[in-house]
Amino acid sequence: MGRLSELFDPETVAVVGATDRDGAVGRAILENLRDEFTGTVVPINPSREEVLGIECYPDASSAPPIDLAVVVVPPEIVLESIRDLAEAGTENVVIITAGFSETGSEGADRERQLREIAEENDLNVVGPNSLGLMATPNGMNATFGPESALEGSISFMSQSGAFITAVLDWANEQGIGFQDVVSLGNKTVLDETDFVREWGDDPATDVIIGYLEDIADGREFVDAAREVTDDTPVVLVKSGRTDAGAQAASSHTGAIAGSERAYEAGLDQAGVLRAHSVQELFDSARALSGLPEPETDGVAVVTNAGGPGVLTTDAVGDSTLEMANFTDQTIAALAAAMPDEANVYNPIDAIGDADVERFAEALEIALDDPAVGSAVIVAAPTAVLSYDELAETVIESLEDHDTPVVTCLMGGRRTAGAEKTLRKSGVPNYFDPSRAVTGLDALARFREIRAQPVAEPTTFDVDRRRARDVLGRAKRRDDNRLGIESMDLLEAYGIPTPTGEIVDDPARAREVAESIDGDVVLKIVSPDISHKSDIGGVKVGVPDDEVYDAYEDVVSRARTYQPDATIVGVQVQEMLDLESATETIVGMNRDPQFGPLLLFGLGGIFVEILEDTSIRVAPIGEDEAREMVDEITAAPLLRGARGREPADIERVVETIQRLSQLVTDFPAILELDVNPLVAGPEGVQAIDLRLTVDTEKL
Amino acid sequence: MGRLSELFDPETVAVVGATDRDGAVGRAILENLRDEFTGTVVPINPSREEVLGIECYPDASSAPPIDLAVVVVPPEIVLESIRDLAEAGTENVVIITAGFSETGSEGADRERQLREIAEENDLNVVGPNSLGLMATPNGMNATFGPESALEGSISFMSQSGAFITAVLDWANEQGIGFQDVVSLGNKTVLDETDFVREWGDDPATDVIIGYLEDIADGREFVDAAREVTDDTPVVLVKSGRTDAGAQAASSHTGAIAGSERAYEAGLDQAGVLRAHSVQELFDSARALSGLPEPETDGVAVVTNAGGPGVLTTDAVGDSTLEMANFTDQTIAALAAAMPDEANVYNPIDAIGDADVERFAEALEIALDDPAVGSAVIVAAPTAVLSYDELAETVIESLEDHDTPVVTCLMGGRRTAGAEKTLRKSGVPNYFDPSRAVTGLDALARFREIRAQPVAEPTTFDVDRRRARDVLGRAKRRDDNRLGIESMDLLEAYGIPTPTGEIVDDPARAREVAESIDGDVVLKIVSPDISHKSDIGGVKVGVPDDEVYDAYEDVVSRARTYQPDATIVGVQVQEMLDLESATETIVGMNRDPQFGPLLLFGLGGIFVEILEDTSIRVAPIGEDEAREMVDEITAAPLLRGARGREPADIERVVETIQRLSQLVTDFPAILELDVNPLVAGPEGVQAIDLRLTVDTEKL
């Protein structure tokens, strides 16, 4: 695949299927290109000599060299056109034509062939079923939409073409500009990961935004995006969040509904800021595209209106930000500068008769406070305050400070002029205090993402060969479910398990019991019995001299319960001090988009009733494993709440990482549950295990 | 107090402190009144003969009869002016002047006197420290703000004057109108409860909205609002939700920070829809002011744009609404009317080439489906779709249907004309799919509120005199804390407690134990020892013949632990079967605004670590008590999750109501905790009790 930047910066753009027929898409694109594109436009159509007064060529080989081709021919001849382009040396193609996988099996077949041609010829292909793409520096509007974008530093991709036309109509009115815009269409070749990579390398792109209905390869996206988000913020609306939405997305683009929890975890690990509405997307993007990075999470609020000041404070309380705690010096300076009735604590209420000078003074003093990382000016209309002058003054104050400031000049008609002035200097103005805080919060969240080192999974020294042998049992036994008899899988990866042995006669059970200090636990081992306790298949606290009988009893109960069950034997295990320990669960299942998803939670009701679990896409590093433990609501129980002895959390964190390594090393493991993993003051022990193996992959 | 409607519909309005001095508030108000008010305006000022060309009077008694007086004189002479007005027979006064309780003790004293004068003379007083008030039918703008409101059916109160000026500037641009507007100021006499009552009776008010920083009397507000919300929707922004916000509110208006959880519960019980931003307030109000009530929660989405359709579906998934499940007939009709590529399931995707006719047809078919209670049209700009025509068509469709429809015509410039057309017919248009759904959701939530009968607390037959006697112990003992020795308080209110007795010698302990079936529990009884178990003050499962020694042991442990503790005795109690029971907590504390707040939760970690509790303002009815049980996350445990026997939830619900009656009957009970209230299959029993009593109130 060639460099994607050529997609957005071609010298010559061909419209394959150009026409001057009224209402035709091939005409709309040509018109859009003709009007503003600074390069050369080449119509291609075998049945015309010229289109819209521009010389037309019958095919790519007879045309001048083409850097980018926009293909709008009927679906039946798309493949032919692409081959022709490839032969003529064109590397970049946007396919507008619909009628591919979104329309049934014939279309799907066509799309498969398209992918093959692209691979053979190393083509960058956008679409098919795309609105097209735009780049503003060269005035290239290679779409059939009614609007061209204004120039700016936001690059924008969308899995919905309509989303682009709707956004541009509004953004043009608001004066919001873009660098590159691309309608992803069916994503047959190029997808979100490619554009995130491309724009991450583009110095003219300050913010990457997108509307997505699915992510083609979750793990690849996470890795690519996480590198990009170290420098460039990415804000995405990923729709299909709810069950109803996922169903709607699937019928719209055929997006496979990955689990929302997987998306949530994956996008979070990728350092992507997620927006839930068009408005939130742009409220965040506007702040991220024009403002410096805040140095702290402290916000100063300067207002002439008590009520809106309180609302702003509430919004700060709801966000990841906090109200800056002013120094005594700041408070003294504010008290000296403001009238007696003013409130000099944060939010600064310069009261109703505040003019532009008083606002400017308060803002200057606040910005000098080291606790202030960002500020918001919240104003209500009064007779003594000119919004136009206030805008000028805010911009002047910013010249001496590298602190992000946003405004919320409340009102309608009277804000228009000020908004325009502010926009020119990169200061976003918001209608509502809560939206202004959304903007500042995006800056703070992005700062936090950048501050976190890109996670490097720890590689533990493990016995991979032994693990492979254990997994091989599934193949040998011709049963893809493994259970407690395969605890040596965990041992191979350095996860502690209780001392013990699986035996198949009662005398040996007794021998094993005698070799263990204290009473023992007996458990039936059978791939066909999953709820061992329920059928009396577990006996706890058995003294050595009762082991023989207990063995017989456990086996006979299993046989009574399920006569046809395969009984592997009985596990004789040391008895753990569960009094001071907590039962946890560590599990994994595979998501169609993101691959192995790790799950952590406390056992029993916490998982079953309260659904108090944390999720990450594997492989994970130490920080992520620690977050998994910290973010469950019941975490204080592990840390020693209610007079308990604290569990050895470091060993829990390590165990999660070792399991992450295990499931990453063996894609054959489809599902795995260590339940319970007992965590006590002295460490952890895996007590039971269930996993499902794809024997084909071994 | 006279009828409030005179405040908004006076014949004659006086401006006391009228002046023609430039920039003076007394001039601004007079100008506002002069410009549009249809009644008579009377300036009052002893030092002028006329103001702005209108004849001026020295005082109220020399002026013509005044229905409403707007007072803007300096704070020192406000009281005098009010007395003068009262003597002249004026009943309605708005005090604009600031300098009352918000400025310190002198002002607070002035405010107290103002309240007295108002009470003596039966005056309706708005303010002081108010922006003023407006009514649109008579063109009365009795404020000093820069904008007059457009006429409409929304009545609006605000504890912040700046909030009003900001909102009006914006609303006038948006074409949103109001019926009455009032700036509440310091709420010395009239407060939110009065205006909710007034507007609830006003047929011209379709929706009541407000911005509040506190609620003066929570319980009174709940009762008044709940009656109003049976007919008229109330939507409020109550700020100071977060800790930081509450602090800011307190320094703004001196609002006492009641607990956010109390406000949440109280506003919910009042049937108030709560908004968290200005935008959400109006997104809801616009839908509630113009649209009919939906008959079901099913929403139909009609769009020409797959992506925005998915976003709308997500927003529906997040709301209390659901995507309507179309009948086969609807699907067949849609399939016949739409092109093959269209999606005829909900969301209906009429695809990109949909014109106005196709939208109209799809909408008509959807509105005929009985599952559809409301609909949203979501459109992206295309070459073939005129938003102006679409607006006309939507309005026509509505003529035959009594179903609420909102639109989300996405874009900027091209939406303006259509928006205006829609607005005239009461159809709100929203920028963003999620906001359109917010509007419809407000309708659905209001329907649900109306559907719930106003809760009538059940009155149980209780022994109030006995309860009073028990509480009297606190007075007799000169200790306002009562404990387990006062379990007869619960018995007096019909709440089951275990059989047993408090005894003060070991021989009697044994006698009591022998009279009880089975083993017993012994517990130390001392007002000074609250964590009885921790010090060994509880013994469980004691057989009769060990009771004597156990008594001695429990007492000696208590003495060792706290030599100066008052030891009332030892409780000998029957032993309950706790195996199949669940420990719950029912508690009460008093909120400064809302009074008795009931709390319910499961014991132990559920309350302490997970904070899984539900809250209501007492007194409550049966439905509310049941909601308290149902809404905790751990509720499935009571209902028999994980193989447990279900607890007798009806008895839990009844116990909560009996406690509600107890704490309502006795305001002297400041705090009360029944912990645990054991709930098993056979019923409930209160095992322990702690309460604090205000002995002055007995």
Side-chain angles (χ1 to χ4, degrees), chain A residues 464-477 482-483 485-490 492 689 691 693 698:
Chain A
R464 203 161 159 163
R465 177 190 298 251
R466 185 176 167 205
R468 187 183 307 280
D469 281 351
V470 176
L471 292 173
R473 278 176 205 155
K475 208 160 194 167
R476 293 192 293 277
R477 282 215 313 251
L482 297 178
E485 78 292 345
S486 301
M487 294 281 275
D488 38 353
L489 177 68
L490 301 178
L689 169 72
L691 68 158
V693 179
L698 280 173

PDB file of all heavy atoms in Angstrom, chain A residues 464-477 482-483 485-490 492 689 691 693 698:
ATOM      1  N   ARG A 464       6.072 -22.681  28.452  1.00  0.00           N
ATOM      2  CA  ARG A 464       5.108 -22.693  27.363  1.00  0.00           C
ATOM      3  C   ARG A 464       4.888 -24.109  26.814  1.00  0.00           C
ATOM      4  O   ARG A 464       3.774 -24.480  26.456  1.00  0.00           O
ATOM      5  CB  ARG A 464       5.659 -21.790  26.254  1.00  0.00           C
ATOM      6  CG  ARG A 464       4.607 -21.272  25.342  1.00  0.00           C
ATOM      7  CD  ARG A 464       5.138 -20.071  24.616  1.00  0.00           C
ATOM      8  NE  ARG A 464       4.364 -19.865  23.411  1.00  0.00           N
ATOM      9  CZ  ARG A 464       4.344 -18.742  22.714  1.00  0.00           C
ATOM     10  NH1 ARG A 464       5.093 -17.727  23.099  1.00  0.00           N
ATOM     11  NH2 ARG A 464       3.627 -18.637  21.639  1.00  0.00           N
ATOM     12  N   ARG A 465       5.951 -24.867  26.788  1.00  0.00           N
ATOM     13  CA  ARG A 465       5.840 -26.230  26.260  1.00  0.00           C
ATOM     14  C   ARG A 465       4.890 -27.078  27.119  1.00  0.00           C
ATOM     15  O   ARG A 465       4.058 -27.813  26.615  1.00  0.00           O
ATOM     16  CB  ARG A 465       7.236 -26.864  26.216  1.00  0.00           C
ATOM     17  CG  ARG A 465       7.228 -28.307  25.739  1.00  0.00           C
ATOM     18  CD  ARG A 465       8.590 -28.927  25.946  1.00  0.00           C
ATOM     19  NE  ARG A 465       9.596 -28.213  25.162  1.00  0.00           N
ATOM     20  CZ  ARG A 465      10.202 -28.713  24.061  1.00  0.00           C
ATOM     21  NH1 ARG A 465       9.885 -29.926  23.644  1.00  0.00           N
ATOM     22  NH2 ARG A 465      11.110 -28.027  23.421  1.00  0.00           N
ATOM     23  N   ARG A 466       5.045 -26.906  28.449  1.00  0.00           N
ATOM     24  CA  ARG A 466       4.185 -27.678  29.345  1.00  0.00           C
ATOM     25  C   ARG A 466       2.717 -27.271  29.155  1.00  0.00           C
ATOM     26  O   ARG A 466       1.819 -28.114  29.125  1.00  0.00           O
ATOM     27  CB  ARG A 466       4.618 -27.415  30.799  1.00  0.00           C
ATOM     28  CG  ARG A 466       3.878 -28.257  31.822  1.00  0.00           C
ATOM     29  CD  ARG A 466       4.424 -28.028  33.228  1.00  0.00           C
ATOM     30  NE  ARG A 466       3.552 -28.582  34.236  1.00  0.00           N
ATOM     31  CZ  ARG A 466       3.518 -28.141  35.497  1.00  0.00           C
ATOM     32  NH1 ARG A 466       4.309 -27.140  35.880  1.00  0.00           N
ATOM     33  NH2 ARG A 466       2.704 -28.706  36.368  1.00  0.00           N
ATOM     34  N   ALA A 467       2.497 -25.946  28.996  1.00  0.00           N
ATOM     35  CA  ALA A 467       1.131 -25.468  28.779  1.00  0.00           C
ATOM     36  C   ALA A 467       0.558 -26.084  27.508  1.00  0.00           C
ATOM     37  O   ALA A 467      -0.590 -26.527  27.473  1.00  0.00           O
ATOM     38  CB  ALA A 467       1.117 -23.945  28.693  1.00  0.00           C
ATOM     39  N   ARG A 468       1.389 -26.126  26.457  1.00  0.00           N
ATOM     40  CA  ARG A 468       0.915 -26.696  25.202  1.00  0.00           C
ATOM     41  C   ARG A 468       0.521 -28.172  25.401  1.00  0.00           C
ATOM     42  O   ARG A 468      -0.489 -28.634  24.882  1.00  0.00           O
ATOM     43  CB  ARG A 468       1.997 -26.558  24.125  1.00  0.00           C
ATOM     44  CG  ARG A 468       1.525 -26.964  22.725  1.00  0.00           C
ATOM     45  CD  ARG A 468       2.649 -26.882  21.704  1.00  0.00           C
ATOM     46  NE  ARG A 468       3.307 -25.589  21.705  1.00  0.00           N
ATOM     47  CZ  ARG A 468       2.827 -24.499  21.097  1.00  0.00           C
ATOM     48  NH1 ARG A 468       1.683 -24.567  20.445  1.00  0.00           N
ATOM     49  NH2 ARG A 468       3.480 -23.366  21.155  1.00  0.00           N
ATOM     50  N   ASP A 469       1.343 -28.890  26.194  1.00  0.00           N
ATOM     51  CA  ASP A 469       1.034 -30.295  26.482  1.00  0.00           C
ATOM     52  C   ASP A 469      -0.322 -30.423  27.161  1.00  0.00           C
ATOM     53  O   ASP A 469      -1.130 -31.282  26.829  1.00  0.00           O
ATOM     54  CB  ASP A 469       2.098 -30.898  27.409  1.00  0.00           C
ATOM     55  CG  ASP A 469       3.351 -31.254  26.631  1.00  0.00           C
ATOM     56  OD1 ASP A 469       3.307 -31.196  25.374  1.00  0.00           O
ATOM     57  OD2 ASP A 469       4.367 -31.569  27.283  1.00  0.00           O
ATOM     58  N   VAL A 470      -0.549 -29.558  28.149  1.00  0.00           N
ATOM     59  CA  VAL A 470      -1.810 -29.638  28.883  1.00  0.00           C
ATOM     60  C   VAL A 470      -2.985 -29.404  27.933  1.00  0.00           C
ATOM     61  O   VAL A 470      -3.965 -30.140  27.932  1.00  0.00           O
ATOM     62  CB  VAL A 470      -1.842 -28.611  30.037  1.00  0.00           C
ATOM     63  CG1 VAL A 470      -3.207 -28.646  30.727  1.00  0.00           C
ATOM     64  CG2 VAL A 470      -0.722 -28.881  31.035  1.00  0.00           C
ATOM     65  N   LEU A 471      -2.845 -28.372  27.104  1.00  0.00           N
ATOM     66  CA  LEU A 471      -3.928 -28.067  26.164  1.00  0.00           C
ATOM     67  C   LEU A 471      -4.146 -29.227  25.192  1.00  0.00           C
ATOM     68  O   LEU A 471      -5.269 -29.497  24.755  1.00  0.00           O
ATOM     69  CB  LEU A 471      -3.621 -26.785  25.391  1.00  0.00           C
ATOM     70  CG  LEU A 471      -3.633 -25.509  26.237  1.00  0.00           C
ATOM     71  CD1 LEU A 471      -3.150 -24.311  25.424  1.00  0.00           C
ATOM     72  CD2 LEU A 471      -5.027 -25.231  26.800  1.00  0.00           C
ATOM     73  N   GLY A 472      -3.051 -29.947  24.897  1.00  0.00           N
ATOM     74  CA  GLY A 472      -3.137 -31.091  24.006  1.00  0.00           C
ATOM     75  C   GLY A 472      -4.081 -32.171  24.504  1.00  0.00           C
ATOM     76  O   GLY A 472      -4.628 -32.958  23.726  1.00  0.00           O
ATOM     77  N   ARG A 473      -4.307 -32.187  25.834  1.00  0.00           N
ATOM     78  CA  ARG A 473      -5.242 -33.172  26.387  1.00  0.00           C
ATOM     79  C   ARG A 473      -6.602 -33.087  25.711  1.00  0.00           C
ATOM     80  O   ARG A 473      -7.279 -34.087  25.511  1.00  0.00           O
ATOM     81  CB  ARG A 473      -5.474 -32.902  27.881  1.00  0.00           C
ATOM     82  CG  ARG A 473      -4.409 -33.457  28.766  1.00  0.00           C
ATOM     83  CD  ARG A 473      -4.672 -33.067  30.217  1.00  0.00           C
ATOM     84  NE  ARG A 473      -3.418 -33.064  30.947  1.00  0.00           N
ATOM     85  CZ  ARG A 473      -3.175 -32.357  32.035  1.00  0.00           C
ATOM     86  NH1 ARG A 473      -4.120 -31.549  32.527  1.00  0.00           N
ATOM     87  NH2 ARG A 473      -2.014 -32.435  32.627  1.00  0.00           N
ATOM     88  N   ALA A 474      -7.002 -31.835  25.403  1.00  0.00           N
ATOM     89  CA  ALA A 474      -8.311 -31.647  24.786  1.00  0.00           C
ATOM     90  C   ALA A 474      -8.367 -32.419  23.475  1.00  0.00           C
ATOM     91  O   ALA A 474      -9.359 -33.076  23.158  1.00  0.00           O
ATOM     92  CB  ALA A 474      -8.561 -30.166  24.550  1.00  0.00           C
ATOM     93  N   LYS A 475      -7.271 -32.358  22.723  1.00  0.00           N
ATOM     94  CA  LYS A 475      -7.222 -33.052  21.441  1.00  0.00           C
ATOM     95  C   LYS A 475      -7.221 -34.563  21.665  1.00  0.00           C
ATOM     96  O   LYS A 475      -7.979 -35.298  21.041  1.00  0.00           O
ATOM     97  CB  LYS A 475      -5.951 -32.628  20.704  1.00  0.00           C
ATOM     98  CG  LYS A 475      -6.092 -32.694  19.202  1.00  0.00           C
ATOM     99  CD  LYS A 475      -5.044 -31.837  18.525  1.00  0.00           C
ATOM    100  CE  LYS A 475      -5.370 -31.628  17.066  1.00  0.00           C
ATOM    101  NZ  LYS A 475      -4.553 -30.581  16.463  1.00  0.00           N
ATOM    102  N   ARG A 476      -6.382 -35.000  22.630  1.00  0.00           N
ATOM    103  CA  ARG A 476      -6.270 -36.433  22.879  1.00  0.00           C
ATOM    104  C   ARG A 476      -7.587 -37.011  23.381  1.00  0.00           C
ATOM    105  O   ARG A 476      -7.968 -38.120  23.045  1.00  0.00           O
ATOM    106  CB  ARG A 476      -5.152 -36.689  23.900  1.00  0.00           C
ATOM    107  CG  ARG A 476      -3.753 -36.356  23.364  1.00  0.00           C
ATOM    108  CD  ARG A 476      -2.637 -36.890  24.259  1.00  0.00           C
ATOM    109  NE  ARG A 476      -2.577 -36.238  25.546  1.00  0.00           N
ATOM    110  CZ  ARG A 476      -1.972 -35.070  25.775  1.00  0.00           C
ATOM    111  NH1 ARG A 476      -1.388 -34.397  24.779  1.00  0.00           N
ATOM    112  NH2 ARG A 476      -1.947 -34.545  26.989  1.00  0.00           N
ATOM    113  N   ARG A 477      -8.270 -36.230  24.227  1.00  0.00           N
ATOM    114  CA  ARG A 477      -9.522 -36.722  24.795  1.00  0.00           C
ATOM    115  C   ARG A 477     -10.704 -36.480  23.878  1.00  0.00           C
ATOM    116  O   ARG A 477     -11.828 -36.867  24.172  1.00  0.00           O
ATOM    117  CB  ARG A 477      -9.811 -36.001  26.115  1.00  0.00           C
ATOM    118  CG  ARG A 477      -9.003 -36.513  27.261  1.00  0.00           C
ATOM    119  CD  ARG A 477      -9.818 -36.475  28.554  1.00  0.00           C
ATOM    120  NE  ARG A 477     -10.502 -35.211  28.745  1.00  0.00           N
ATOM    121  CZ  ARG A 477     -10.167 -34.312  29.662  1.00  0.00           C
ATOM    122  NH1 ARG A 477      -9.146 -34.524  30.458  1.00  0.00           N
ATOM    123  NH2 ARG A 477     -10.858 -33.208  29.787  1.00  0.00           N
ATOM    124  N   LEU A 482     -11.788 -28.315  29.191  1.00  0.00           N
ATOM    125  CA  LEU A 482     -10.858 -28.793  30.213  1.00  0.00           C
ATOM    126  C   LEU A 482     -11.278 -28.210  31.551  1.00  0.00           C
ATOM    127  O   LEU A 482     -11.906 -27.152  31.612  1.00  0.00           O
ATOM    128  CB  LEU A 482      -9.425 -28.374  29.882  1.00  0.00           C
ATOM    129  CG  LEU A 482      -8.834 -28.963  28.581  1.00  0.00           C
ATOM    130  CD1 LEU A 482      -7.431 -28.415  28.353  1.00  0.00           C
ATOM    131  CD2 LEU A 482      -8.818 -30.489  28.625  1.00  0.00           C
ATOM    132  N   GLY A 483     -10.907 -28.937  32.637  1.00  0.00           N
ATOM    133  CA  GLY A 483     -11.339 -28.484  33.958  1.00  0.00           C
ATOM    134  C   GLY A 483     -10.231 -28.579  34.977  1.00  0.00           C
ATOM    135  O   GLY A 483      -9.038 -28.388  34.660  1.00  0.00           O
ATOM    136  N   GLU A 485      -8.679 -30.834  36.321  1.00  0.00           N
ATOM    137  CA  GLU A 485      -7.556 -31.749  36.101  1.00  0.00           C
ATOM    138  C   GLU A 485      -6.435 -31.068  35.314  1.00  0.00           C
ATOM    139  O   GLU A 485      -5.332 -31.597  35.196  1.00  0.00           O
ATOM    140  CB  GLU A 485      -8.039 -33.010  35.363  1.00  0.00           C
ATOM    141  CG  GLU A 485      -8.258 -32.849  33.861  1.00  0.00           C
ATOM    142  CD  GLU A 485      -9.429 -31.938  33.509  1.00  0.00           C
ATOM    143  OE1 GLU A 485     -10.244 -31.647  34.395  1.00  0.00           O
ATOM    144  OE2 GLU A 485      -9.509 -31.500  32.363  1.00  0.00           O
ATOM    145  N   SER A 486      -6.705 -29.875  34.790  1.00  0.00           N
ATOM    146  CA  SER A 486      -5.712 -29.185  33.971  1.00  0.00           C
ATOM    147  C   SER A 486      -5.117 -27.981  34.680  1.00  0.00           C
ATOM    148  O   SER A 486      -4.625 -27.052  34.052  1.00  0.00           O
ATOM    149  CB  SER A 486      -6.348 -28.756  32.648  1.00  0.00           C
ATOM    150  OG  SER A 486      -6.844 -29.900  31.977  1.00  0.00           O
ATOM    151  N   MET A 487      -5.153 -28.026  36.018  1.00  0.00           N
ATOM    152  CA  MET A 487      -4.601 -26.913  36.796  1.00  0.00           C
ATOM    153  C   MET A 487      -3.119 -26.732  36.516  1.00  0.00           C
ATOM    154  O   MET A 487      -2.549 -25.673  36.768  1.00  0.00           O
ATOM    155  CB  MET A 487      -4.812 -27.163  38.289  1.00  0.00           C
ATOM    156  CG  MET A 487      -6.259 -27.166  38.717  1.00  0.00           C
ATOM    157  SD  MET A 487      -6.947 -25.504  38.889  1.00  0.00           S
ATOM    158  CE  MET A 487      -6.420 -25.185  40.568  1.00  0.00           C
ATOM    159  N   ASP A 488      -2.459 -27.782  36.002  1.00  0.00           N
ATOM    160  CA  ASP A 488      -1.032 -27.639  35.700  1.00  0.00           C
ATOM    161  C   ASP A 488      -0.794 -26.636  34.565  1.00  0.00           C
ATOM    162  O   ASP A 488       0.309 -26.127  34.402  1.00  0.00           O
ATOM    163  CB  ASP A 488      -0.375 -28.997  35.420  1.00  0.00           C
ATOM    164  CG  ASP A 488      -1.258 -29.953  34.637  1.00  0.00           C
ATOM    165  OD1 ASP A 488      -2.453 -29.620  34.419  1.00  0.00           O
ATOM    166  OD2 ASP A 488      -0.757 -31.008  34.219  1.00  0.00           O
ATOM    167  N   LEU A 489      -1.855 -26.318  33.814  1.00  0.00           N
ATOM    168  CA  LEU A 489      -1.764 -25.237  32.826  1.00  0.00           C
ATOM    169  C   LEU A 489      -1.410 -23.926  33.540  1.00  0.00           C
ATOM    170  O   LEU A 489      -0.545 -23.160  33.104  1.00  0.00           O
ATOM    171  CB  LEU A 489      -3.104 -25.092  32.105  1.00  0.00           C
ATOM    172  CG  LEU A 489      -3.219 -23.960  31.088  1.00  0.00           C
ATOM    173  CD1 LEU A 489      -2.330 -24.233  29.875  1.00  0.00           C
ATOM    174  CD2 LEU A 489      -4.672 -23.781  30.640  1.00  0.00           C
ATOM    175  N   LEU A 490      -2.099 -23.692  34.665  1.00  0.00           N
ATOM    176  CA  LEU A 490      -1.838 -22.479  35.429  1.00  0.00           C
ATOM    177  C   LEU A 490      -0.450 -22.526  36.054  1.00  0.00           C
ATOM    178  O   LEU A 490       0.282 -21.536  36.058  1.00  0.00           O
ATOM    179  CB  LEU A 490      -2.911 -22.296  36.512  1.00  0.00           C
ATOM    180  CG  LEU A 490      -4.354 -22.197  35.983  1.00  0.00           C
ATOM    181  CD1 LEU A 490      -5.339 -22.064  37.148  1.00  0.00           C
ATOM    182  CD2 LEU A 490      -4.519 -21.031  35.008  1.00  0.00           C
ATOM    183  N   ALA A 492       2.099 -23.970  34.912  1.00  0.00           N
ATOM    184  CA  ALA A 492       3.092 -23.723  33.853  1.00  0.00           C
ATOM    185  C   ALA A 492       3.291 -22.232  33.630  1.00  0.00           C
ATOM    186  O   ALA A 492       4.353 -21.789  33.189  1.00  0.00           O
ATOM    187  CB  ALA A 492       2.636 -24.386  32.551  1.00  0.00           C
ATOM    188  N   LEU A 689     -10.683 -24.282  37.741  1.00  0.00           N
ATOM    189  CA  LEU A 689     -10.388 -23.802  36.388  1.00  0.00           C
ATOM    190  C   LEU A 689     -11.347 -24.469  35.418  1.00  0.00           C
ATOM    191  O   LEU A 689     -11.667 -25.646  35.556  1.00  0.00           O
ATOM    192  CB  LEU A 689      -8.946 -24.221  36.035  1.00  0.00           C
ATOM    193  CG  LEU A 689      -8.502 -24.051  34.577  1.00  0.00           C
ATOM    194  CD1 LEU A 689      -8.310 -22.574  34.258  1.00  0.00           C
ATOM    195  CD2 LEU A 689      -7.195 -24.812  34.331  1.00  0.00           C
ATOM    196  N   LEU A 691     -11.895 -24.260  31.015  1.00  0.00           N
ATOM    197  CA  LEU A 691     -11.573 -23.583  29.771  1.00  0.00           C
ATOM    198  C   LEU A 691     -12.105 -24.362  28.579  1.00  0.00           C
ATOM    199  O   LEU A 691     -12.384 -25.554  28.677  1.00  0.00           O
ATOM    200  CB  LEU A 691     -10.080 -23.304  29.624  1.00  0.00           C
ATOM    201  CG  LEU A 691      -9.100 -24.453  29.449  1.00  0.00           C
ATOM    202  CD1 LEU A 691      -7.825 -23.935  28.792  1.00  0.00           C
ATOM    203  CD2 LEU A 691      -8.747 -25.020  30.808  1.00  0.00           C
ATOM    204  N   VAL A 693     -11.289 -25.061  24.467  1.00  0.00           N
ATOM    205  CA  VAL A 693     -10.142 -25.003  23.566  1.00  0.00           C
ATOM    206  C   VAL A 693     -10.614 -25.252  22.138  1.00  0.00           C
ATOM    207  O   VAL A 693     -11.488 -26.087  21.901  1.00  0.00           O
ATOM    208  CB  VAL A 693      -9.117 -26.088  23.975  1.00  0.00           C
ATOM    209  CG1 VAL A 693      -7.917 -26.089  23.044  1.00  0.00           C
ATOM    210  CG2 VAL A 693      -8.683 -25.877  25.415  1.00  0.00           C
ATOM    211  N   LEU A 698      -4.599 -25.972  17.806  1.00  0.00           N
ATOM    212  CA  LEU A 698      -3.460 -26.438  18.616  1.00  0.00           C
ATOM    213  C   LEU A 698      -2.332 -26.951  17.719  1.00  0.00           C
ATOM    214  O   LEU A 698      -2.586 -27.547  16.678  1.00  0.00           O
ATOM    215  CB  LEU A 698      -3.932 -27.535  19.548  1.00  0.00           C
ATOM    216  CG  LEU A 698      -4.643 -27.016  20.797  1.00  0.00           C
ATOM    217  CD1 LEU A 698      -5.239 -28.164  21.583  1.00  0.00           C
ATOM    218  CD2 LEU A 698      -3.683 -26.224  21.676  1.00  0.00           C
TER     219      LEU A 698
END
